[in-house]
Amino acid sequence: MQSVFRTSTSLLLAACFAVSASFTSAATDEGQSTAFQMSVAESTSAGSGLAEFYRNNGFEPVWVGDTPEHAARRAALIRALSNVEMHGLPASRYDVQSLISKMQDAKSVRDLGQIEAELSRVFLNYARDVQSGALRPSQVDPGLVRTVNRLPAEEHLNAVLASKDGAYIQQLAPQTGQYRALMKQKMALEALIAKGGWGSTVPVDKLELGDSGPNVIKLRNRLVSLGYMKPTASPTFDKTLLSAVKDFQRDHGLEPDGVAGQGTITELNRPASDRLKAVLVALERERWLPRERGERHILVNQADFSAKIVDDGRVTFETRAVIGKNTHDRRSPEFSDEMEHMVINPSWYVPRSIITKEYLPKLRANPNAVGHIEITDRRGRQVNRGAVDFTQFTAKNFPFAMRQPPSKSNALGLVKFMFPNKHNIYLHDTPQKSLFAREVRAFSHGCIRLAQPFEFAYALLARQEEDPKAFFHRILSSGKETKVNLDKPVPVHLIYRTAYIGPKGEVQYRRDVYDRDRKIWEALQKAGVVLPDVQG
């Protein structure tokens, strides 16, 4: 790859300098200069942003001049285009060899104008893909409601002009530690696949401490090849193997009980190509996230069933979470917003969809059903159930709202954390504590339930209250619904990451509970992203 890159770059620069010399000598001729301008104008379609940029720029070349600055920009662009596969981007979109051929074949200033426009067009495709992702999230899955920021053509090209050495091109990809570590993992997996992968799979459903025989050896060998233990020929499931199984389980979101049951063995047997797909999808997802995450921010990884507070790149608080049930109308969406306040002792204002789909059928059968929920009219006044014939109403004409007053049994528990959004998603407590002991925690209507909501509140309030715990419990003990504003809103990122790098640099994998990563991978594949030829 490096030798190809060096050849490509040298060929392009040679061609570029040759044609640029012709342009420089002809630039004093007003007719030749006009020919270049006309060529650029004809080669940039109206409305694309390119035409407007060149008009505003007086049709000055960005790429094809013969100054050191032009040379640096060309070199930086070709270097970036030659390495797109490092980012998991589709190389076929940029066609470096075609660019080189066009530059080698250029014989006139008019040709040079066409090349200038083509370089800008390819640059913009690359810049948008590597900075914001090759896919449009909402076109892949309806749960991907994330807004991706794509800069206009003029802003990208002006930034290239401002960075005379081409540094802007080198900095387009996400500059996060997570992105760099994922790229490193991608290379490691590709090298592993080229060598045949992780070897033999484990052909049984369950192995545990004390077992022995050839299948235990296969389990041991698999964990050795995965890097979880040193080579040994022992046929017995001993404490060393037990420790390795637990470590594997922790890194894959499994209950670390040390028993290699069906779920654990399924994950053990996944081929390296599956893990590579997860990493490629994770790189794309990382490109979708906002460039600025927030010095302090909240990160909810749905695939990991966790919620974290991150301060200056370090996780300072973490708790288990429950996400939306895996049905078409309950899956938790993915987006970013800002948490503005919390409500202590919240009422639960039942969403219209729950009222009509779940509660109205029960009220038709029995007016006293769901008696813990108040039925209210448009003015918020409580309705006498005995005076209402619920059988006359349908989902379309049901005129009432429903509210559950503050209490320990409230569906939202005793505190909720609000980042107002059109999806009506927020974080909250829950009386259903037993769900947090489950390995797969997808049970809610879409909102995110927290296992340790009080501690989460203390952590958020610590920056504005001298004694956040006492402050919180003083309000809680009042029993009154109370809104507490955060002095400084905290960015919230609801993500879904089946491959990510842990705090100690270890790679973590999770199951694709919503089947979203499969859809993203198929879309990337359709766009031209490919796996190595050798699968393992």
Side-chain angles (χ1 to χ4, degrees):
M1 174 63 78
Q2 289 183 348
S3 62
V4 172
F5 162 69
R6 284 195 294 270
T7 302
S8 300
T9 303
S10 60
L11 285 171
L12 178 57
L13 293 180
C16 202
F17 275 119
V19 182
S20 296
S22 301
F23 174 74
T24 302
S25 61
T28 53
D29 186 308
E30 186 175 343
Q32 292 284 4
S33 179
T34 301
F36 175 80
Q37 293 178 7
M38 290 181 62
S39 179
V40 172
E42 290 170 1
S43 302
T44 53
S45 59
S48 68
L50 275 178
E52 183 179 1
F53 165 77
Y54 279 105
R55 282 197 302 271
N56 294 338
N57 192 44
F59 292 93
E60 289 295 317
V62 177
W63 311 101
V64 299
D66 64 348
T67 68
E69 289 82 4
H70 288 98
R73 290 183 204 125
R74 291 191 297 269
L77 177 59
I78 295 306
R79 186 179 300 112
L81 296 178
S82 299
N83 286 283
V84 292
E85 289 180 336
M86 297 284 290
H87 297 275
L89 292 173
S92 57
R93 282 193 181 185
Y94 318 107
D95 200 355
V96 179
Q97 293 304 319
S98 175
L99 284 174
I100 294 171
S101 297
K102 288 178 182 178
M103 296 197 77
Q104 288 175 317
D105 295 341
K107 294 180 174 62
S108 68
V109 172
R110 186 172 181 81
D111 292 341
L112 192 63
Q114 293 174 349
I115 291 168
E116 169 73 20
E118 181 68 11
L119 285 169
S120 286
R121 194 158 28 244
V122 173
F123 161 71
L124 287 175
N125 288 340
Y126 168 75
R128 288 164 176 164
D129 287 354
V130 79
Q131 188 177 71
S132 308
L135 305 176
R136 296 296 179 103
S138 60
Q139 295 175 1
V140 179
D141 187 276
L144 299 171
V145 296
R146 180 172 299 286
T147 300
V148 175
N149 183 30
R150 293 180 180 270
L151 297 181
E154 194 162 6
E155 190 169 339
H156 272 306
L157 288 164
N158 280 328
V160 170
L161 286 173
S163 66
K164 299 182 184 299
D165 59 355
Y168 178 72
I169 298 172
Q170 299 167 18
Q171 296 167 2
L172 282 166
Q175 300 298 301
T176 63
Q178 188 72 204
Y179 192 82
R180 290 190 291 270
L182 285 167
M183 287 182 67
K184 184 177 179 181
Q185 180 64 13
K186 172 185 174 291
M187 290 187 287
L189 285 167
E190 287 172 338
L192 177 71
I193 289 171
K195 294 178 180 178
W198 285 308
S200 299
T201 57
V202 185
V204 294
D205 290 336
K206 186 177 181 181
L207 291 167
E208 56 188 330
L209 187 65
D211 287 346
S212 62
N215 287 330
V216 172
I217 294 175
K218 290 180 179 179
L219 171 63
R220 188 182 296 272
N221 289 343
R222 188 75 174 179
L223 287 165
V224 168
S225 64
L226 284 161
Y228 282 93
M229 60 186 302
K230 295 179 181 179
T232 172
S234 172
T236 303
F237 196 129
D238 55 19
K239 289 184 178 180
T240 302
L241 183 54
L242 177 72
S243 178
V245 169
K246 286 183 177 181
D247 288 343
F248 176 86
Q249 289 171 327
R250 290 188 189 95
D251 288 348
H252 293 77
L254 305 166
E255 194 61 37
D257 58 8
V259 176
Q262 186 172 2
T264 296
I265 289 178
T266 296
E267 295 305 307
L268 274 166
N269 286 342
R270 290 197 187 279
S273 56
D274 278 7
R275 299 308 187 192
L276 179 55
K277 291 174 187 176
V279 169
L280 290 167
V281 169
L283 285 167
E284 177 73 358
R285 285 181 171 283
E286 188 76 5
R287 292 188 284 263
W288 292 345
L289 285 173
R291 199 79 169 180
E292 297 298 325
R293 311 285 165 82
E295 176 188 346
R296 158 171 274 205
H297 63 267
I298 295 163
L299 191 68
V300 177
N301 184 355
Q302 298 171 24
D304 183 43
F305 309 106
S306 69
K308 303 173 182 177
I309 297 176
V310 181
D311 289 300
D312 298 317
R314 186 172 63 89
V315 176
T316 55
F317 179 83
E318 181 173 0
T319 184
R320 289 190 166 204
V322 166
I323 66 170
K325 189 175 181 180
N326 187 23
T327 60
H328 76 282
D329 58 343
R330 294 192 182 184
R331 297 184 188 103
S332 300
E334 300 172 51
F335 63 97
S336 294
D337 211 305
E338 285 195 332
M339 185 173 291
E340 299 174 0
H341 65 274
M342 65 182 72
V343 178
I344 303 172
N345 298 313
S347 294
W348 180 42
Y349 297 91
V350 185
R352 181 75 182 178
S353 59
I354 298 177
I355 291 174
T356 55
K357 291 180 182 179
E358 297 183 28
Y359 291 168
L360 180 54
K362 293 179 180 179
L363 289 169
R364 284 188 188 133
N366 177 9
N368 295 313
V370 291
H372 60 293
I373 305 288
E374 293 179 354
I375 300 175
T376 58
D377 63 15
R378 289 187 175 87
R379 296 184 181 181
R381 298 173 301 189
Q382 190 166 351
V383 172
N384 180 359
R385 292 167 177 251
V388 178
D389 179 10
F390 291 105
T391 61
Q392 66 177 310
F393 298 119
T394 66
K396 291 183 178 180
N397 67 9
F398 188 71
F400 305 117
M402 300 184 76
R403 166 184 175 269
Q404 185 181 16
S407 72
K408 289 183 179 180
S409 60
N410 186 286
L412 305 182
L414 294 170
V415 60
K416 66 178 180 179
F417 305 90
M418 303 301 293
F419 39 104
N421 58 83
K422 63 182 180 181
H423 314 292
N424 198 28
I425 298 296
Y426 44 90
L427 277 57
H428 65 86
D429 182 18
T430 176
Q432 294 179 292
K433 305 295 186 184
S434 63
L435 296 179
F436 295 107
R438 303 282 188 92
E439 190 174 86
V440 176
R441 299 186 289 277
F443 299 103
S444 80
H445 283 84
C447 286
I448 309 299
R449 304 174 188 175
L450 304 180
Q452 297 173 285
F454 289 8
E455 291 79 2
F456 188 80
Y458 308 155
L460 290 175
L461 293 169
R463 292 195 169 187
Q464 63 190 64
E465 297 295 335
E466 186 174 341
D467 189 342
K469 186 174 181 179
F471 172 84
F472 180 87
H473 282 275
R474 185 165 57 250
I475 297 173
L476 184 67
S477 62
S478 74
K480 294 180 180 179
E481 186 167 358
T482 305
K483 177 182 177 182
V484 178
N485 289 322
L486 298 179
D487 287 353
K488 184 179 180 181
V490 180
V492 180
H493 306 292
L494 302 185
I495 68 171
Y496 180 102
R497 194 67 60 81
T498 63
Y500 64 95
I501 308 303
K504 297 179 181 179
E506 76 285 6
V507 63
Q508 301 268 326
Y509 293 107
R510 298 295 183 265
R511 285 161 289 190
D512 188 11
V513 289
Y514 286 165
D515 204 32
R516 283 182 187 157
D517 272 20
R518 179 190 60 80
K519 294 178 183 178
I520 294 172
W521 166 247
E522 288 176 356
L524 285 172
Q525 212 173 15
K526 189 175 181 180
V529 176
V530 296
L531 293 178
D533 291 337
V534 180
Q535 301 295 311

